[in-house]
Amino acid sequence: MSDQQFQILSMVIYLLAMVGIGLWAYRKNSSVDDYILGGRQLHPAVAALSAGASDMSGWLLLGLPGALYANGLIESWIAIGLTIGAWLNWKFVAPRLRSYTEVSHNSITVPSFLDSRLRDSSHTLRIVSGIVILFFFTFYVSSGMVAGGTFFEAAFGLDYLTGMLLVAGVTILYTLLGGFLAVSWTDLVQGIMMLLALVMVPVIGLIAVGGPHQALESAEIVNPHLQSMTGGNGLTFTGTIAIISALAWGLGYFGQPHIIVRFMALRKPSQAIAARRIGIGWMIVSILGAMGTALVGIAYAQQSGQKLLENPEQVFIYMGQVLFHPLIAGFMLAAILAAIMSTISSQLLVSSSALVEDIYSVFFHKAVSQNYGVFLSRLAVITISAIAAVLAISPSDTILKLVAFAWAGFGGAFGPIILLTLFWRRITTSGALSGMVVGSLTVVVWSNISGGIFDLYEIVPGFIANLIVTIIVSLLTYTPSEIIDAEFNAAAKLSRDWTSSAEIISEVRATKSEDSYHHRSTRE
C-alpha cells in the first residue's frame, strides 16, 4: 500500500467509528430531554473532554502550532487567556448552572433557562436568545465546514467541495441519529485522539532533534526572539492591545452555549470538580503539546537544512508525516478532522435546540409530543446544516475571522447575562434583554472598525457594554419576587451540597404553586 492509501484507511476507520457511535446513541433517545441534554446523565470525564474538544476545534492542532511556529511565544497569550477562562468557567459557572437549570423548571437550553430564571412571561428574551444563537452559530458551523474542505484539499489533494461535503455529511449523520449522547461520546473519542496526537508528535520530534536543549538551540538560530513573550520589541501600544485582545478570548467561555450546555448535563453539581480537573488537565497538556510541535518543527527544519514551511499551520501535518508510519500519520490527520467535526456537531445540536425549543414552540405557541419534538430537532439539524453548507461553498472570509467573530458574539451577548443570572438575584428581564442587544450590536459594530483602540478584540467592549447596561437597567426595573428568591437560594445551596436535592427542589416547587409564570416548551 502507498503512503496515501494507509492514511485513507486510517481516515475511513475513524469516520466509520463516529457513525457507529451515532447508531449506538440513536437507540437511547426517547425524548427531547434525551436528544438535547442526554437526560442529565453525563459522566464528568465525558463532559470535560466533550467541552474541550468542541471548544478547541482545529485551532489547537493547526492554528496555535502554526502561530507559534511563525512568531514564537508571543502567540501564547491567547492560550493563557483561554486556559484561565476555562478554569474559571468550570470552577464557578458549572456547579451553579447545573443546579439552577434543574431547579428552574428543569431548563434544558440556555434561552429556556434565562426565560424561566427571570420569569419573562412574554418570552421575548427566550426568542431573542434563540435568534442570536442561530445567527452566530450558522456562521460558526459554516467555518467548520470550510475548515473540513480545506483540510481534505491540503492533506489528500481532494476537491474542496467534495471534502467539505464529506465532513458535513458524516458529522450531520451522527448528530442527526444520536443527538447529545452521540455528540458527547464522539467528542470524548475525538478529545483523546487530539491529546494523544499532541503528545506523540513533540515527544518523538524531540528525540529526533536530539532533546529539548538541542531543539531550543536550533530553533533560536531561526528565531532569536522565540522565547520572548513580547516578540523582542518590548511593550508598545499596539503590542499591549494585541496582548489584551489575546487574553480576552478567555472572557468568551462564560457565554458559549455549546460549552456551558455540558455543565447542564452533568449528573450532579459536585461532579464539576472532577470534570474541571480532567478538562483543564487535558487542555494544559494539549496546549503544551501544540507548543512543542511548533518547537520541534522549527528545530527539524534548521537541522535538516530545509526552509520553514510556507504555510505554518501545516507544521503538525508535516511533522506527523515525517515522524510516523503512514498508518499512524493517517490517525494524526484524523485527529485534525476530529477537532473540526467535534465543534461542528456541538454547534449543530445547540442550534437545533434553539430553533425547536426556544423559537418554534414559543413563537408559534405550540407544545408538541416527545416523539414529534425529537423529529423537529432532527429536522432543524438538517435545515441549519444546509444553510451553513451553502455559505461554505464560497466562503467570503477566513476561518479564523469567522470563528473570532462568533466567539466574540456569544461572549458579548451571553457572558455577562449568564454570570449575573447565576450570582446576582436583582437582574431583570429588561436588564438582560437590553444588555444582550447592546453587547451583540457592540461586537458587530466594533468588528467593522479598525485602527488605534478599535484594534482591540471586539469581545472586550461587547462584554463591558453588556455588563454595564444590564446592571443599570436591572437596578431601575427590579422588583422583589418570592419565587425567584426561593430558586436563587436553592440553586446556591444545591451547587454546594446535592445530598438534599429532592427535599429542596420539592420546597421550591411548593412555592411555585403560587407562580403564574408559564414555561412554554416542546416537552409540555
Side-chain angles (χ1 to χ4, degrees):
M1 293 178 68
S2 66
D3 288 0
Q4 190 172 66
Q5 287 175 327
F6 271 116
Q7 293 175 5
I8 291 174
L9 175 61
S10 301
M11 201 66 62
V12 170
I13 293 171
Y14 161 72
L15 292 174
L16 289 176
M18 297 302 100
V19 175
I21 293 174
L23 290 171
W24 164 79
Y26 175 77
R27 296 177 296 174
K28 295 184 176 293
N29 288 313
S30 58
S31 67
V32 178
D33 286 35
D34 291 338
Y35 190 81
I36 292 177
L37 208 59
R40 295 190 191 269
Q41 291 298 311
L42 210 58
H43 188 278
V46 179
L49 294 191
S50 179
S54 61
D55 161 28
M56 288 301 183
S57 189
W59 173 82
L60 186 61
L61 292 97
L62 299 175
L64 180 57
L68 293 165
Y69 183 88
N71 302 311
L73 284 183
I74 189 175
E75 300 289 350
S76 65
W77 287 107
I78 186 172
I80 295 171
L82 287 172
T83 303
I84 294 172
W87 186 89
L88 292 172
N89 209 24
W90 276 109
K91 173 68 175 178
F92 297 105
V93 174
R96 184 67 70 92
L97 186 64
R98 170 59 183 87
S99 62
Y100 217 144
T101 51
E102 184 164 356
V103 167
S104 191
H105 285 94
N106 195 30
S107 306
I108 63 173
T109 67
V110 171
S112 68
F113 165 65
L114 297 178
D115 181 271
S116 174
R117 157 68 175 88
L118 298 172
R119 289 304 187 275
D120 179 17
S121 57
S122 70
H123 305 298
T124 304
L125 180 61
R126 186 171 180 178
I127 294 173
V128 171
S129 299
I131 292 172
V132 170
I133 287 175
L134 282 177
F135 174 76
F136 285 114
F137 265 153
T138 299
F139 289 98
Y140 218 148
V141 170
S142 181
S143 73
M145 292 181 179
V146 172
T150 303
F151 164 77
F152 271 105
E153 189 176 38
F156 297 103
L158 202 63
D159 175 69
Y160 164 80
L161 182 60
T162 303
M164 187 272 287
L165 291 175
L166 178 61
V167 171
V170 174
T171 309
I172 293 166
L173 181 59
Y174 73 70
T175 306
L176 193 70
L177 291 173
F180 187 82
L181 279 179
V183 169
S184 297
W185 280 94
T186 52
D187 281 353
L188 173 68
V189 174
Q190 291 160 341
I192 292 172
M193 288 176 64
M194 293 162 66
L195 180 68
L196 290 175
L198 285 168
V199 169
M200 290 172 65
V201 169
V203 168
I204 301 302
L206 284 174
I207 295 173
V209 299
H213 180 71
Q214 189 61 45
L216 274 174
E217 283 189 349
S218 299
E220 288 187 334
I221 293 173
V222 178
N223 181 2
H225 303 301
L226 179 75
Q227 298 187 66
S228 172
M229 297 292 286
T230 61
N233 299 317
L235 276 182
T236 61
F237 175 79
T238 302
T240 302
I241 290 292
I243 290 173
I244 294 173
S245 295
L247 288 171
W249 277 73
L251 285 175
Y253 274 108
F254 307 120
Q256 302 300 318
H258 62 301
I259 295 174
I260 62 177
V261 72
R262 266 70 183 176
F263 306 161
M264 297 159 61
L266 288 167
R267 293 170 184 167
K268 54 184 179 180
S270 60
Q271 291 190 332
I273 298 173
R276 181 182 77 241
R277 291 169 180 167
I278 295 169
I280 299 302
W282 176 90
M283 191 172 184
I284 291 173
V285 173
S286 296
I287 287 174
L288 290 175
M291 296 171 69
T293 297
L295 173 65
V296 299
I298 299 172
Y300 187 87
Q302 192 277 329
Q303 291 182 12
S304 58
Q306 299 177 9
K307 293 182 179 180
L308 291 179
L309 296 172
E310 291 185 9
N311 183 354
E313 291 191 344
Q314 292 186 4
V315 61
F316 177 84
I317 297 175
Y318 175 73
M319 294 306 296
Q321 292 174 329
V322 166
L323 298 172
F324 297 95
H325 183 277
L327 185 65
I328 304 300
F331 282 108
M332 297 290 179
L333 294 176
I336 299 173
L337 190 59
I340 296 169
M341 291 171 63
S342 63
T343 302
I344 295 175
S345 60
S346 296
Q347 293 163 351
L348 276 177
L349 193 64
V350 173
S351 300
S352 71
S353 67
L355 186 59
V356 176
E357 275 277 305
D358 304 313
I359 297 178
Y360 176 86
S361 66
V362 177
F363 190 81
F364 293 102
H365 304 287
K366 288 188 177 181
V368 298
S369 66
Q370 293 288 1
N371 289 337
Y372 189 51
V374 174
F375 167 76
L376 285 177
S377 297
R378 289 180 170 137
L379 183 62
V381 168
I382 296 174
T383 304
I384 296 162
S385 301
I387 297 172
V390 170
L391 293 173
I393 291 175
S394 300
S396 59
D397 216 334
T398 64
I399 298 169
L400 181 59
K401 285 185 179 180
L402 285 170
V403 171
F405 176 68
W407 184 268
F410 284 124
F414 289 111
I417 307 299
I418 292 296
L419 292 173
L420 291 173
T421 52
L422 295 179
F423 298 102
W424 190 48
R425 71 177 72 232
R426 295 168 67 93
I427 183 174
T428 65
T429 298
S430 298
L433 189 58
S434 301
M436 186 179 297
V437 172
V438 169
S440 300
L441 291 177
T442 301
V443 167
V444 172
V445 172
W446 196 279
S447 66
N448 286 287
I449 306 175
S450 60
I453 191 63
F454 291 105
D455 287 335
L456 183 67
Y457 185 25
E458 55 266 26
I459 196 173
V460 178
F463 191 98
I464 293 173
N466 183 336
L467 185 65
I468 292 173
V469 169
T470 302
I471 290 175
I472 291 174
V473 175
S474 293
L475 289 174
L476 293 174
T477 57
Y478 174 76
T479 54
S481 167
E482 181 184 357
I483 181 60
I484 290 179
D485 284 346
E487 285 187 353
F488 188 91
N489 294 334
K493 186 173 182 179
L494 290 175
S495 67
R496 298 187 299 267
D497 180 14
W498 191 251
T499 55
S500 56
S501 58
E503 179 182 345
I504 294 175
I505 291 174
S506 64
E507 289 177 1
V508 173
R509 286 173 179 166
T511 309
K512 289 180 182 179
S513 62
E514 302 297 325
D515 187 15
S516 61
Y517 164 79
H518 179 56
H519 180 77
R520 186 173 298 280
S521 165
T522 57
R523 296 166 294 130
E524 291 175 343

